[in-house]
Amino acid sequence: MYSQGLRDSKAGDDSPELLEAFQKRIDNEEKIEPRDWMPQAYRQTLIRQISQHAHSEIVGQLPEANWVSRAPTLKRKLILLAKIQDEAGHGLYLYSAAETLGESRHKMFEDLLSGKAKYSSIFNYPTLNWADVGAVGWLVDGAAIMNQVALCRTSYGPYSRSMVKICKEESFHQRQGYDIMIKMAQGTAQQKAMAQDAINRLWWPALMMFGPSDKDSKHSGQSMKWKIKRFSNDDLRDKFINATVPQAEYLGLTIPDKDLKYNEKSKTYEHGEIDWNEFVNVIKGNGECNQQRMDARNRAYDDGKWVRATAAAYAKKQQKNEKVA
Ligand code: BYC
């Protein structure tokens, strides 16, 4: 279906004239569509980012799934189930968006399962108490939205359109997380301590979701030139901090950053040093839950083998019937 666009941008086709015309389209805020000519590197950057994003949505179901059977009320359980199903849907929109660039879903799965493709570092941290489910919604979905609202204006049409729907659902996720935090923070002393414990453990990993600092981000320069990314990693991180600190104050919880301070002049918060060694260690596969997450995804893939085989056999039979008719 998308063969025309793929044929137009084989490696080696990226002549200066084509590149210049492409950049002009980007600068004019035109959306790039699947059949349009695009530089190989633009295509590859999108496949990398969109598939990483899709994997994050899928792996991101796991820390929350840990609490489905132990949610404190039936209502909380239903809400949590709905949220986890939304994440599965987000993964599917994103895999579909990446497929429009010529990458097969099978290849993307293989890359995730072999450990070649990344997914967001945040999902390699455990969810140890019920307040963590609140903190994941509030902080993790909150950080995700900050990034994704900007991605609604990304230059690649299918990615940008999938982001619009995803953001609507993510904002419900953020609100449900904050709602849990309000309940816990205004509950007993023990519940408040659980809420504080959750923010103590998840605050810094949430800041790491935005990626390395601008000086160390290897892809940001080109991605911003192509308007795949509309803001730098540090700019989005700062926006998130500025939006979230007042929410923590409302909850009566402390942000675990002794160097956090409000700059009266710029009217923004300045944060302490992020432990980038921890970030690198986690994305290399050595975080607390990396192995557990990969084992769970590999198990799910193996368990689904018969479903894929049945679907493929059915499709083949349909094709055969169509040929006969
Ligand atoms: N974790 O040059 P940089 C969610 C990698 S989940 C792991 O700045 P880029 C949700 C990066 O891939 C939210 N890896 O890269 C789901 C690159 O490595 P490679 C997921 C990270 O791409 C369920 C290297 O570090 N959101 O919503 O310009 C429940 C250098 O980085 C991370 C997205 O994926 C990380 N945190 O910028 C709840 C949004 N950060 O590929 C919530 C879309 C960086 O060269 N993605 N790396 O080997 C993006 O906006 C960008 O890809 C990033 C990184 C800002 C993440």
Side-chain angles (χ1 to χ4, degrees), residues 43-88:
R43 186 185 298 283
Q44 289 312 320
T45 300
L46 281 168
I47 292 173
R48 181 185 60 77
Q49 178 167 325
I50 300 173
S51 62
Q52 172 182 309
H53 195 164
H55 300 327
S56 304
E57 301 283 356
I58 298 300
V59 178
Q61 296 175 100
L62 297 170
E64 300 189 319
N66 189 34
W67 282 90
V68 170
S69 60
R70 284 170 289 154
T73 66
L74 179 62
K75 194 171 156 200
R76 291 285 182 201
K77 182 173 177 144
L78 288 171
I79 295 170
L80 183 59
L81 275 171
K83 177 181 191 288
I84 294 170
Q85 283 173 3
D86 284 352
E87 310 298 2

Side-chain angles (χ1 to χ4, degrees), residues 188-238:
T188 63
Q190 198 186 1
Q191 285 174 314
K192 188 165 180 186
M194 285 163 73
Q196 184 62 54
D197 177 48
I199 184 173
N200 288 350
R201 283 177 291 103
L202 290 166
W203 174 255
W204 291 103
L207 297 191
M208 292 174 196
M209 285 176 72
F210 295 96
S213 66
D214 291 353
K215 70 177 173 32
D216 293 322
S217 167
K218 54 181 170 170
H219 300 298
S220 283
Q222 185 60 67
S223 288
M224 287 179 67
K225 193 168 169 221
W226 278 331
K227 299 189 180 177
I228 292 174
K229 282 166 85 160
R230 308 295 305 220
F231 294 95
S232 76
N233 298 354
D234 284 338
D235 283 352
L236 285 173
R237 192 169 11 248
D238 289 344

Side-chain angles (χ1 to χ4, degrees), residues 235-250:
D235 283 352
L236 285 173
R237 192 169 11 248
D238 289 344
K239 274 174 186 278
F240 170 74
I241 294 172
N242 286 318
T244 310
V245 173
Q247 295 169 359
E249 280 168 1
Y250 177 79

